[in-house]
Amino acid sequence: MSLFLVSFASAQERFLTKKGMISFFSETPIENIEAQNNQVLSIVDATSGKMAISILMKSFMFEKALMQEHFNENYVDSDKYPKATFKGAIIDFDTITTSERSLAIIGNLTIHGETKEITINALTKKTGEVIEMAGDFFINLADFNVKIPSIVKNNISEKIKVSFRFQHKPYKK
Amino acid sequence: MKKISIYILIIGLLGIFIGYKVYHKPHINVAKKSIDITITANILLADFSSDETKANAKYLDKIIAVKGRVTKVEFNGEKAAISLQTKDDFGSVVCYLVKDEFKKSAQIKEGQEVVLKGICTGFLMDVILVKCIIINSK
């Protein structure tokens, strides 16, 4: 963790949230599955436009306890892979203004020990001391080697919609 | 013949009933669960900072009673997040309380010593406990 932090150059220009929100949604004709995590750590370096996100898999809360159990034990193996991470760069970060606009973020997303490069579009704005970012994107379970047993194949979508909302504030300590 | 079909019907209904029960299994009720580990916020954070993999194996998914001094109480709607002091400048232990604790958590003051009980989900900059309840505040 400390390494991860010092990799960002200037401390004054760092914005972060420890209470970022990430949710995901799987939609099938049989059932919809949704989970939300409100303890996401997201850091933006305002000098370089670099971004780093850390997510605890066990912090995803499901409507049904059984789904949560299956998610942790069978699908993402959260004992072995307790975190998902994203490290990337916000393209044209210096064009950020007080009015909301869509910016692309290119980076590596790691889930379940598997890393894939993705591009995410985020509605971004900076008002006062807050950098806000929100958006959604889709991931394929197969890209992260998450295997769904054939018995529940019809209950879980192969494409998962991921939504996020972060309000980064200047980091002071 | 009639008897057999009644048996099959009973077994079938029983199966549906069990299936329904398993599918709708309730979430862990932290208040009713017994404590696995009692610890201070300082030691809990120190364990995670020194060896995260070992600490994950020891604390993840466990019901933990953590004692510490309150440094911050924040609200997200009716859900409180209480940060506990540690000797580390960087991190703390952050406990996310359940909605039912709203009234009690609104009375918690900075500097107060508390014991909170919750489930450990891991370590980012802070050690994180979810579904917390207040078991002692003085």
Side-chain angles (χ1 to χ4, degrees):
Chain A
M1 189 62 222
S2 50
L3 262 177
F4 165 71
L5 283 170
V6 290
S7 65
F8 288 98
S10 52
Q12 302 92 323
E13 291 296 319
R14 196 181 295 146
F15 286 68
L16 75 76
T17 175
K18 295 172 173 182
K19 297 181 176 60
M21 188 285 293
I22 289 186
S23 64
F24 64 78
F25 188 65
S26 151
E27 189 178 16
T28 64
I30 295 174
E31 66 181 342
N32 293 335
I33 300 169
E34 200 175 1
Q36 200 179 84
N37 183 336
N38 288 300
Q39 287 103 40
V40 177
L41 172 66
S42 172
I43 305 171
V44 172
D45 187 313
T47 343
S48 63
K50 282 200 173 127
M51 189 173 190
I53 301 170
S54 261
I55 305 149
L56 292 174
M57 299 311 271
K58 286 182 194 287
S59 272
F60 279 103
M61 298 296 145
F62 290 68
E63 184 203 339
K64 292 200 167 16
L66 189 72
M67 291 174 179
Q68 194 163 323
E69 208 175 285
H70 286 173
F71 170 76
N72 282 298
E73 289 172 12
N74 306 345
Y75 305 144
V76 297
D77 199 358
S78 61
D79 281 325
K80 200 171 168 197
Y81 309 105
K83 283 177 197 173
T85 57
F86 175 81
K87 275 176 197 172
I90 304 162
I91 308 303
D92 296 331
F93 181 73
D94 49 357
T95 63
I96 190 168
T97 60
T98 51
S99 58
E100 199 167 65
R101 54 182 303 221
S102 180
L103 292 179
I105 312 159
I106 300 174
N108 287 315
L109 177 65
T110 306
I111 306 171
H112 193 227
E114 301 287 325
T115 302
K116 191 180 177 358
E117 192 184 271
I118 56 165
T119 302
I120 301 164
N121 288 310
L123 283 173
T124 310
K125 66 174 174 181
K126 187 178 176 191
T127 41
E129 288 285 74
V130 183
I131 296 176
E132 282 186 56
M133 300 180 87
D136 48 56
F137 58 97
F138 284 87
I139 57 168
N140 290 316
L141 290 180
D143 288 339
F144 300 97
N145 199 21
V146 175
K147 294 190 181 81
I148 304 300
S150 53
I151 192 164
V152 290
K153 266 239 145 73
N154 296 325
N155 300 51
I156 300 170
S157 172
E158 188 43 43
K159 263 181 159 264
I160 305 286
K161 185 182 180 183
V162 181
S163 306
F164 61 92
R165 194 171 60 240
F166 302 131
Q167 289 192 316
H168 306 89
K169 290 178 184 156
Y171 184 59
K172 325 179 185 84
K173 188 80 197 187
Chain B
M1 195 57 205
K2 210 176 174 187
K3 238 181 180 174
I4 293 171
S5 53
I6 286 173
Y7 279 132
I8 292 172
L9 186 70
I10 290 172
I11 290 168
L13 286 176
L14 203 66
I16 291 169
F17 178 75
I18 293 170
Y20 181 86
K21 276 287 185 195
V22 170
Y23 184 70
H24 291 279
K25 188 174 106 162
H27 279 281
I28 292 170
N29 184 339
V30 171
K32 286 182 181 157
K33 280 272 198 173
S34 58
I35 296 163
D36 297 318
I37 297 165
T38 303
I39 196 164
T40 64
N42 192 44
I43 297 173
L44 185 60
L45 183 76
D47 277 2
F48 272 100
S49 328
S50 61
D51 188 341
E52 194 178 338
T53 313
K54 205 171 130 194
N56 276 339
K58 189 172 170 189
Y59 298 112
L60 290 196
D61 288 331
K62 295 289 190 302
I63 307 279
I64 295 175
V66 60
K67 186 177 159 186
R69 202 166 287 280
V70 176
T71 53
K72 204 161 48 172
V73 184
E74 290 171 286
F75 286 93
N76 175 12
E78 292 196 320
K79 288 182 178 173
I82 298 180
S83 304
L84 300 177
Q85 193 178 39
T86 63
K87 283 178 189 150
D88 194 315
D89 295 332
F90 229 28
S92 74
V93 174
V94 184
C95 303
Y96 290 81
L97 278 77
V98 295
K99 226 178 182 171
D100 296 346
E101 294 287 275
F102 175 62
K103 274 192 181 155
K104 273 166 90 182
S105 49
Q107 286 164 12
I108 300 281
K109 303 262 181 318
E110 278 179 28
Q112 192 177 344
E113 188 137 293
V114 292
V115 182
L116 305 171
K117 180 182 172 190
I119 305 167
C120 184
T121 61
F123 177 59
L124 293 171
M125 287 175 76
D126 311 302
V127 179
I128 292 173
L129 266 66
V130 298
K131 299 191 174 179
C132 294
I133 58 162
I134 300 165
I135 57 173
N136 198 351
S137 55
K138 272 178 195 156

